[in-house]
Amino acid sequence: MKIYISKYHKISKKNIEEILLNFNSLGQSFFAGKKHRRNHIKVVEQKGRKFNIKSFKQPNFINRYVYVFFRQSKAERSFKFAEKLIKKGIRTPKPIAFAEETNRAALTKSFYVSEHLDYDLTFRDLDLKVPAHEDILRAFSRFTFKLHENNIEFLDHSPGNTLIQINNGDYLFYLVDLNRMNFKPLNFNERMNNFARLSPDREIIKIMAEEYARLIGKSENEVFEKMWFYANSFFVNRAKSRKRKQKFKNLVGLK
C-alpha cells in the first residue's frame, strides 16, 4: 500500500497502515453508502486523537487504470486540495495522509485521512425560522465570495459539504469532500452557478444574493436573477432525472 503522510504531522506510516488494514473493524461509521457503491467514512480514535478516514468506492474498470497512469486518485486530490486550501486561508479539516492500493497496475482501494472536526451545523441545517440562521447564511455568502476571490471553484458546493462551527458569535466554515475543485479566476456566471446546488428555496437564494451583491458591487436584482436561474434549473432538472430513474426502476420491477 502506498501511503503519503503530511510533513506537518508526526504519525508513522506503520500506524496509518495498521488503521487502514483494519478499517472494517475499527472506529464508528460516520457515513456509509450502499455496499461497494458508495464511499464509507469512519471516525477512528488512536492515542487520544480522532481521525476521519474516507474509504473511496472502487472506481469503474476504466478509472482503475486512469487513476494510476493519467490522473490523480480522488484520495490524492482530496489531500493536495486540502493543503492548497489551507495555504489560501480557507478552512478544512487538517489533512494527515492519503493511501492507495493497486493490483496488477489497477487502483483497487484508496483512502483519505484527516483530523476529525467537531461542528455545530451544516448548510443543510439552516432554517430561516431560527433567528440566528439568517446571520449564518449571510456569513456563508461572504465565505463563498472569499472562495471565489481566491480563484477557488468548489464543484461540490452542496448543503452537506460545508461544516459550520459557532464560536462566540463568530461563524467558522470548513470545506469537506474536496476531490472536485478548480483553481482559476471565475467570471460572474461561474460564480453564480457555484450556488446552484445549495437550495431550491427562493428566500434563501434571495438572502445570499443580497449579501453577495454588496461584496461584488452589482445590483441585488442582477445577482438574484442569475443565482436563482442556476439554482432553479439545477433542482428542476434533478427532479426530472429522479423521476425518470424511478420510472425505469418501476418498469424493471414489473418484469
Side-chain angles (χ1 to χ4, degrees):
M1 182 180 290
K2 167 191 167 185
I3 299 174
Y4 183 88
I5 297 177
S6 168
K7 62 184 178 181
Y8 302 107
H9 289 275
K10 296 179 180 179
I11 188 169
S12 69
K13 286 187 178 182
K14 183 178 180 181
N15 191 197
I16 291 292
E17 186 175 32
E18 286 177 356
I19 293 172
L20 298 182
L21 289 175
N22 294 286
F23 178 80
N24 291 331
S25 60
L26 290 177
Q28 293 184 324
S29 290
F30 190 70
F31 172 84
K34 294 181 181 178
K35 190 175 181 181
H36 304 309
R37 293 181 60 188
R38 297 291 299 274
N39 305 323
H40 189 176
I41 302 173
K42 276 192 166 185
V43 178
V44 176
E45 186 169 353
Q46 292 279 318
K47 297 179 181 179
R49 297 178 64 190
K50 286 185 178 180
F51 303 109
N52 191 290
I53 303 173
K54 185 171 187 176
S55 172
F56 290 91
K57 69 176 183 179
Q58 189 176 50
N60 64 40
F61 181 79
I62 294 175
N63 281 340
R64 291 175 200 175
Y65 297 94
V66 169
Y67 288 151
V68 172
F69 295 106
F70 303 107
R71 192 182 183 198
Q72 294 175 346
S73 70
K74 291 182 179 181
E76 183 172 1
R77 276 180 277 148
S78 296
F79 179 86
K80 291 186 173 179
F81 289 167
E83 290 195 322
K84 196 165 185 176
L85 288 175
I86 290 171
K87 286 181 181 178
K88 287 177 172 284
I90 304 299
R91 292 183 177 89
T92 186
K94 291 180 181 178
I96 293 175
F98 74 90
E100 297 170 345
E101 190 173 277
T102 57
N103 182 23
R104 297 181 180 178
L107 183 69
T108 55
K109 292 181 182 179
S110 63
F111 301 89
Y112 172 55
V113 184
S114 64
E115 290 187 354
H116 180 68
L117 181 76
D118 292 321
Y119 61 94
D120 299 294
L121 300 165
T122 68
F123 186 96
R124 184 179 287 114
D125 300 313
L126 296 181
D127 181 352
L128 292 178
K129 294 177 183 178
V130 179
H133 283 199
E134 181 174 333
D135 290 340
I136 298 174
L137 186 60
R138 291 184 182 278
F140 175 83
S141 303
R142 296 193 295 272
F143 168 70
T144 302
F145 180 78
K146 182 180 179 181
L147 293 181
H148 296 163
E149 290 294 288
N150 278 275
N151 299 334
I152 299 168
E153 184 180 26
F154 183 29
L155 297 174
D156 285 318
H157 204 30
S158 54
N161 287 342
T162 300
L163 310 182
I164 306 169
Q165 286 183 340
I166 301 174
N167 183 23
N168 295 322
D170 192 15
Y171 309 113
L172 306 180
F173 301 94
Y174 295 78
L175 296 185
V176 295
D177 201 359
L178 306 178
N179 68 86
R180 295 203 318 129
M181 286 191 172
N182 290 324
F183 294 87
K184 63 172 188 176
L186 302 175
N187 62 37
F188 180 62
N189 284 330
E190 289 170 328
R191 288 174 179 233
M192 297 297 96
N193 190 36
N194 201 210
F195 285 87
R197 293 169 172 259
L198 289 166
S199 176
D201 188 310
R202 190 180 180 93
E203 187 60 28
I204 285 177
I205 298 298
K206 184 175 183 293
I207 291 170
M208 291 194 296
E210 285 177 3
E211 195 67 24
Y212 202 95
R214 183 179 64 81
L215 296 167
I216 200 173
K218 290 182 178 289
S219 72
E220 291 180 10
N221 185 63
E222 181 182 4
V223 174
F224 171 75
E225 289 298 328
K226 189 65 70 172
M227 196 182 289
W228 176 247
F229 167 78
Y230 285 117
N232 188 55
S233 297
F234 173 79
F235 285 99
V236 166
N237 290 333
R238 190 173 74 169
K240 289 179 180 178
S241 177
R242 287 178 174 177
K243 189 174 181 180
R244 286 195 298 268
K245 287 179 181 178
Q246 188 59 51
K247 186 176 181 180
F248 175 76
K249 288 179 181 179
N250 291 340
L251 287 172
V252 172
L254 292 174
K255 293 181 179 180

